[in-house]
Amino acid sequence: MENTQNAPVTEKKKISLSGIQPTGVMTLGNYIGAVRNWVKFQQEYDCIYMIANLHALTVRQDPAALKKSTIAAYALMLACGVDPERSIAFVQSQVPYHTELTWILNCYTQFGEMSRMTQFKDKSAKHADNINVGLFSYPVLMATDILLYQSDVVPVGDDQKQHLEVTRDIAERFNGIYGNVFTVPEAYIPPSGARIMSLVDPTKKMSKSDENPNAFVAVLDDKDTVIRKFKRAVTDSEAEIVYREGKDGINNLLTIYSAVTGKTIAEVEAEFAGKGYGDFKLAVGETVADHLRPAREKFNEYMADKAFLENAMRSGAERAAYIARKTMSKVNKKVGII
Ligand code: TRP
């Protein structure tokens, strides 16, 4: 038997990859459901995080605004705690292998399986005047993002589960034909707090594209705004702060408070037993605002330092490209592309 007692730790860490679109604002839902885990994952995995600006093109964008929001999203990702030295943090379009591999994987993806994607159906209904082929093939670009880096684990919100399943299908299909080219990734859906609901209609997911800005809290909202939105949060006509079927509004506030404080739902129920909804909403609002403040401050710092951001983006893209290039040349070789 090998003596491993004093051997250096050479075991390779697993790779975790995730991405977020740069459009709109990052909501508390995105933060609790996804980005917060990205930060935690840095301890356990080799992490790769990406601003998915190519995905954003599936909906018509104003060019100047897209460019600006891509940089802002990158800065916010770092402000939330993604460390650009420890992890690879980059902008999708700065690594051209994403578009290159997407074309190839398009040819290994079936029309039928893309037609079944619920997000495609939802978005087609919402943008009936622009149901473009990119929107249809969106999950293939996402599969590319994941497979290019031989990712093991992909932390995502609940709504991306179906896209992860299709990614696995594509990887398995490709591997079935050509041998082991891609690592087949696992989705990581956080156990609690994956689904933060709208503050206006707590039966709906909190969404940045909600027309009513009171429906979501943005990570960059200031303290007064956060508190105001929680004060207005829709609850019910009872007066009991307990997690129970049918109490969607209160359940949501309990989930948020629990996610932000790390306390269990039972502990939070005990903390607010006998208190009124008004007190509870204020407490949630203040706690969330305090929790988000450091990210907001860091964001402002980074946005004022363009040289830092440009450098981080360039070095992130170079490190990403180094890995992506290897997968790409393997794929090209397998399928016979010169
Ligand atoms: N489609 C994801 C979303 O809208 C964003 C995304 C793009 C992504 N590429 C990814 C997430 C790769 C995980 C892995 O949330």
Side-chain angles (χ1 to χ4, degrees):
M1 212 164 89
E2 226 180 310
N3 175 16
T4 51
Q5 203 117 61
N6 298 313
V9 187
T10 50
E11 200 187 319
K12 254 189 91 194
K13 283 188 185 171
K14 286 190 170 182
I15 296 171
S16 165
L17 177 141
S18 198
I20 192 166
Q21 285 202 48
T23 45
V25 294
M26 190 198 287
T27 68
L28 182 64
N30 302 134
Y31 177 73
I32 292 175
V35 178
R36 213 168 53 136
N37 290 300
W38 296 12
V39 177
K40 277 198 231 143
F41 271 37
Q42 295 180 116
Q43 285 160 24
E44 204 180 322
Y45 300 101
D46 280 335
C47 294
I48 305 177
Y49 297 125
M50 182 190 73
I51 302 302
N53 60 337
L54 294 169
H55 277 105
L57 285 186
T58 54
V59 173
R60 199 68 73 230
Q61 303 288 345
D62 173 66
L66 177 60
K67 204 165 159 183
K68 235 172 134 177
S69 64
T70 301
I71 295 167
Y74 186 85
L76 186 53
M77 168 168 79
L78 303 195
C80 286
V82 168
D83 177 346
E85 284 174 18
R86 183 175 197 172
S87 301
I88 297 179
F90 74 105
V91 174
Q92 187 184 33
S93 63
Q94 293 190 313
V95 179
Y97 303 112
H98 290 254
T99 44
E100 192 177 340
L101 182 59
T102 294
W103 173 254
I104 295 190
L105 293 186
N106 270 334
C107 303
Y108 293 82
T109 305
Q110 298 305 302
F111 185 87
E113 60 190 341
M114 290 298 97
S115 312
R116 286 192 291 274
M117 295 290 109
T118 52
Q119 195 167 82
F120 170 67
K121 291 189 228 168
D122 291 350
K123 287 194 178 173
S124 307
K126 241 190 212 161
H127 304 277
D129 57 334
N130 184 21
I131 306 176
N132 60 74
V133 177
L135 189 66
F136 188 68
S137 160
Y138 180 112
V140 182
L141 179 57
M142 183 160 156
T144 288
D145 298 339
I146 295 164
L147 301 178
L148 260 182
Y149 300 94
Q150 308 291 348
S151 314
D152 298 288
V153 188
V154 183
V156 279
D158 195 44
D159 62 321
Q160 297 298 314
K161 216 166 135 185
Q162 203 182 25
H163 291 162
L164 252 295
E165 275 155 21
V166 132
T167 300
R168 292 169 57 90
D169 291 343
I170 295 171
E172 277 165 0
R173 180 174 308 141
F174 199 93
N175 287 350
I177 306 172
Y178 300 106
N180 276 341
V181 177
F182 297 125
T183 300
V184 180
E186 303 275 350
Y188 173 83
I189 317 274
S192 84
R195 267 180 95 78
I196 300 298
M197 312 306 280
S198 155
L199 298 183
V200 170
D201 176 359
T203 62
K204 274 188 358 202
K205 209 186 104 164
M206 181 180 282
S207 164
K208 59 188 172 189
S209 49
D210 206 302
E211 292 121 43
N212 186 344
N214 291 322
F216 59 84
V217 167
V219 171
L220 294 174
D221 277 346
D222 62 31
K223 184 163 187 166
D224 290 346
T225 307
V226 174
I227 291 174
R228 181 172 45 76
K229 287 179 178 177
F230 276 106
K231 273 189 182 162
R232 288 191 186 171
V234 169
T235 49
D236 54 57
S237 54
E238 302 175 358
E240 228 188 331
I241 301 169
V242 289
Y243 195 101
R244 192 164 60 213
E245 168 116 42
K247 291 174 76 72
D248 299 311
I250 290 294
N251 294 351
N252 190 34
L253 296 183
L254 284 166
T255 302
I256 291 170
Y257 192 79
S258 150
V260 166
T261 57
K263 295 174 186 168
T264 64
I265 298 282
E267 284 166 346
V268 184
E269 285 172 343
E271 185 178 339
F272 290 97
K275 300 242 168 76
Y277 283 3
D279 289 344
F280 179 48
K281 287 180 183 178
L282 182 63
V284 178
E286 281 182 337
T287 306
V288 168
D290 289 344
H291 186 79
L292 297 178
R293 185 169 39 88
R296 196 171 75 237
E297 287 171 0
K298 271 252 168 314
F299 173 78
N300 291 332
E301 233 173 79
Y302 291 146
M303 286 304 278
D305 192 347
K306 288 277 146 37
F308 164 79
L309 283 179
E310 265 171 34
N311 250 321
M313 279 164 58
R314 184 179 325 112
S315 120
E318 278 167 8
R319 289 167 65 203
Y322 179 82
I323 303 170
R325 191 180 301 120
K326 288 190 200 167
T327 303
M328 194 66 237
S329 60
K330 204 165 166 187
V331 168
N332 280 334
K333 209 180 276 167
K334 291 285 188 189
V335 298
I337 290 296
I338 296 177

